[in-house]
Amino acid sequence: MLTPGTYNIVALLDGRTVGMACGLPGDSGACELRSVWVSPRARGRSIGDRLYAAGGRQALASKGPGGAVCKLTDAQLAVLEAELEAGPAAYGWQDQCWTLSRIAEVVKARFGVSYTLGGMCYLLHRLGWSWQAPARRAAERDEAAIAGWRDEQWPVIKGPRPSWEPGCASKTRPVKA
């Protein structure tokens, strides 16, 4: 079934179909090229170029960037950035970690717009924010106590190294003496 106004161009070589281009009418009278197919045995013979020329340059004219439009205005994005700078404590969270779900809650409460976690991550990257991994060491870390434990307790826990006696490594089949 054909949509009214569509065009389909078929390329023939020695009576066989070797290529096809399909297009739709555009808003400004230009055609929008939707698909081009060239048979593998006809590739390298400029069939695609000829189909493109038949559809015209307007068939490949850009319609602008793809993707969804941002749900927040530029002014709302500026307000969101200022609120993120204030930190999570301004919203009652005890630790100083922004998570995607927390930011999504703030956006929902402040602007009435809901985002998925993936959408929130994308939005934050657009604003120049990136995730930050906290340092792996606690502020209360006592290096002297750790060194003492490593020298005294760890060898006891680990036990002596096994000897190099001949035998089997299986725990269920011990060495016969």
Side-chain angles (χ1 to χ4, degrees), residues 8-158:
N8 297 299
I9 303 171
V10 178
L12 300 173
L13 183 64
D14 297 330
R16 292 185 167 188
T17 302
V18 292
M20 187 173 86
C22 302
L24 297 172
D27 296 333
S28 61
C31 296
E32 178 184 348
L33 188 63
R34 297 299 285 182
S35 65
V36 175
W37 169 81
V38 177
S39 170
R41 61 193 146 114
R43 292 184 186 152
R45 297 185 185 189
S46 301
I47 301 292
D49 292 337
R50 292 178 192 168
L51 288 169
Y52 166 71
R57 288 194 178 272
Q58 70 275 14
L60 290 180
S62 173
K63 302 286 185 194
V69 179
C70 185
K71 296 177 184 178
L72 300 176
T73 65
D74 291 337
Q76 290 173 326
L77 290 174
V79 170
L80 175 63
E81 244 185 308
E83 294 191 10
L84 291 177
E85 291 287 344
Y91 286 92
W93 287 295
Q94 297 300 320
D95 59 348
Q96 288 297 309
C97 293
W98 277 119
T99 62
L100 290 176
S101 58
R102 287 179 178 181
I103 298 171
E105 283 181 39
V106 169
V107 169
K108 178 73 173 175
R110 183 79 165 87
F111 306 111
V113 176
S114 61
Y115 273 94
T116 62
L117 296 184
M120 186 54 59
C121 182
Y122 181 75
L123 177 68
L124 291 174
H125 275 85
R126 276 190 46 222
L127 293 175
W129 288 66
S130 63
W131 68 277
Q132 302 292 315
R136 300 257 184 228
R137 300 192 177 206
E140 302 86 12
R141 185 176 169 106
D142 184 4
E143 294 294 335
I146 293 172
W149 181 88
R150 188 180 304 130
D151 293 338
E152 296 170 16
Q153 296 294 322
W154 180 241
V156 174
I157 296 169
K158 190 174 178 184

